[in-house]
Amino acid sequence: MIRTLRTKDYNWNFDTLTGTFARWGQTFQDDPHWSPMGPEILDIEVTTQCKGPGGKLCSFCYKANTPSGKNMSYKTFKNILDKMPNNLMQIAFGADAQCTSNPDIWKMMEYAREKNIVPNITVADIDDNVADRLSRICGAVAVSRYANKNICYDSVKRLTDRGLKQTNIHIMVSEETKKQVLETLKDYIKKDSRLKDMNAIVLLSLKKKGRGSSHTPLDQEEFNNIVNYALDNNVPIGFDSCSAHKFLNAIKGHDKEQQMTMCTEPCESFGMFSSYINVDGHYFPCSFCEGSHDEFIEGPNVAECNDFLTDVWNSDKIKAWRGYMSKRKDNNNFNCPIFTV
């Protein structure tokens, strides 16, 4: 199904089956800096409980989650979703490695589908039962790659065996994890059968937060080497928006530079195109900003607001963030204002 929106300065097409998305302004050449209609994507944390893949906590989890966290209730989730403008197309669920901590997550995903919003999620260590359910209801599922690659690859295969075409591997890039990154790329090149039907390997840049504070960002030259190695060997890769500036630097002079630049989306948070809401229902520019600066200790409570567009999206605080970020945008190439990425 194709969803569309048309206004004078802000327009989009979204294919809910394939995830193909196109956004433009007054003309197809215009690139809007923000959405006046509210967020296109909602990153919502439905649990802070996690025991980690294979029962071992991730050494670089930026949320620093443990098994003793808490869950968002279905009532709170529904309340939040009902306040979202019709511009919302996708939800990225923030859950645990196994997708079992919050028993209401399936009701949440089903309710999103009822509102024609596509649920997506990141997991790390799922069994056949969870793979069955995710493959039926999600548009895309990312499987995080940690120290034990077999946990990741087996989870990927469980999803692709069930026909989920938008199955990705997510792997965090840092000095400490670069060997894992290269190993994953090489396993794809060597045709590990578990990876043959996946969509892409998505590289996530380190933000020094939580347990990730002990890791070291990869410098531009080493980042370039990884990108070029993947491109030279026809490995399907993607990046988080935090990596946009590094990726654009890495592909300078490449024969497909213009094509890849057009597909590169820089930071879309700070009241521009996406929103993050934590397990307590509070809004922040993105999940990494929460608690990272005095300004982001406590965000607006979406569950208690009267009107999301008025009370949150167009509040003075969010408009100030948006204006600051818009001034930083230069050909999709700018750095995060909070972290050294």
Side-chain angles (χ1 to χ4, degrees):
M1 176 180 177
I2 306 295
R3 285 185 59 185
T4 64
L5 183 138
R6 297 290 184 269
T7 69
K8 178 183 177 183
D9 299 314
Y10 172 74
N11 305 275
W12 51 254
N13 292 339
F14 175 59
D15 188 324
T16 61
L17 182 62
T18 67
T20 302
F21 175 71
R23 180 200 307 126
W24 67 96
Q26 290 190 18
T27 70
F28 285 117
Q29 287 69 43
D30 292 335
D31 186 12
H33 283 191
W34 71 291
S35 161
M37 312 300 291
E40 302 164 348
I41 300 172
L42 175 61
D43 183 358
I44 186 163
E45 178 184 58
V46 298
T47 186
T48 58
Q49 295 180 18
C50 187
K51 60 184 180 182
K56 185 178 180 180
L57 294 179
C58 167
S59 64
F60 50 81
C61 175
Y62 76 96
K63 297 293 293 186
N65 287 341
T66 69
S68 61
K70 57 184 174 180
N71 291 327
M72 176 182 283
S73 70
Y74 174 73
K75 180 180 178 181
T76 297
F77 174 84
K78 186 177 184 298
N79 180 14
I80 290 170
L81 206 59
D82 287 345
K83 291 178 179 178
M84 288 294 111
N86 291 333
N87 202 52
L88 186 65
M89 291 170 265
Q90 300 185 68
I91 291 179
F93 282 83
D96 58 303
Q98 288 79 22
C99 192
T100 56
S101 290
N102 191 332
D104 286 338
I105 194 169
W106 307 111
K107 286 173 60 179
M108 295 172 178
M109 289 186 175
E110 288 166 2
Y111 187 63
R113 281 290 187 181
E114 287 176 17
K115 295 177 76 72
N116 203 20
I117 299 167
V118 178
N120 303 312
I121 195 170
T122 300
V123 294
D125 177 14
I126 57 172
D127 61 20
D128 287 330
N129 177 58
V130 170
D132 282 339
R133 301 181 81 167
L134 290 178
S135 63
R136 285 196 296 265
I137 200 165
C138 286
V141 176
V143 182
S144 294
R145 161 75 152 95
Y146 298 113
N148 187 332
K149 70 178 183 181
N150 292 318
I151 290 176
C152 172
Y153 296 178
D154 290 345
S155 294
V156 167
K157 189 173 187 299
R158 288 188 179 100
L159 292 164
T160 57
D161 280 353
R162 288 158 174 80
L164 186 65
K165 297 184 181 301
Q166 298 296 326
T167 302
N168 299 313
I169 287 178
H170 276 189
I171 184 164
M172 194 274 286
V173 181
S174 68
E175 281 289 341
E176 292 78 9
T177 62
K178 63 184 178 184
K179 288 183 179 180
Q180 289 181 22
V181 175
L182 288 170
E183 181 182 42
T184 307
L185 298 177
K186 290 176 181 177
D187 285 340
Y188 179 85
I189 294 166
K190 293 176 182 176
K191 301 189 183 303
D192 187 305
S193 62
R194 295 169 293 182
L195 308 183
K196 66 182 179 67
D197 295 320
M198 72 169 191
N199 181 57
I201 297 170
V202 179
L203 307 182
L204 313 178
S205 286
L206 169 72
K207 276 72 71 179
K208 291 174 70 70
K209 185 180 179 184
R211 292 195 290 268
S213 297
S214 61
H215 284 58
T216 310
L218 203 63
D219 66 29
Q220 184 68 56
E221 183 177 357
E222 294 220 58
F223 189 88
N224 294 355
N225 291 338
I226 288 174
V227 172
N228 290 325
Y229 179 76
L231 294 176
D232 290 346
N233 288 279
N234 297 314
V235 180
I237 54 172
F239 302 87
D240 59 355
S241 60
C242 313
S243 305
H245 66 290
K246 274 189 168 180
F247 176 68
L248 291 172
N249 287 331
I251 61 173
K252 284 182 178 177
H254 192 278
D255 57 0
K256 293 184 179 179
E257 178 183 358
Q258 184 176 3
Q259 177 183 344
M260 289 188 284
T261 298
M262 289 178 62
C263 297
T264 302
E265 178 84 294
C267 179
E268 75 280 357
S269 61
F270 287 86
M272 293 188 292
F273 297 108
S274 71
S275 290
Y276 166 70
I277 296 174
N278 73 5
V279 72
D280 296 312
H282 292 271
Y283 172 98
F284 295 90
C286 76
S287 59
F288 296 96
C289 287
E290 181 184 3
S292 63
H293 187 278
D294 287 347
E295 193 173 0
F296 308 130
I297 297 301
E298 184 175 44
N301 191 323
V302 178
E304 295 178 358
C305 76
N306 293 316
D307 181 83
F308 179 82
L309 276 178
T310 301
D311 300 337
V312 180
W313 194 250
N314 288 318
S315 66
D316 291 342
K317 188 172 188 177
I318 278 71
K319 284 196 289 188
W321 292 343
R322 183 183 301 135
Y324 173 69
M325 292 298 286
S326 295
K327 291 176 183 177
R328 291 170 60 88
K329 187 171 182 179
D330 179 18
N331 193 30
N332 287 5
N333 195 357
F334 61 84
N335 299 328
C336 175
I338 306 299
F339 297 95
T340 301
V341 179

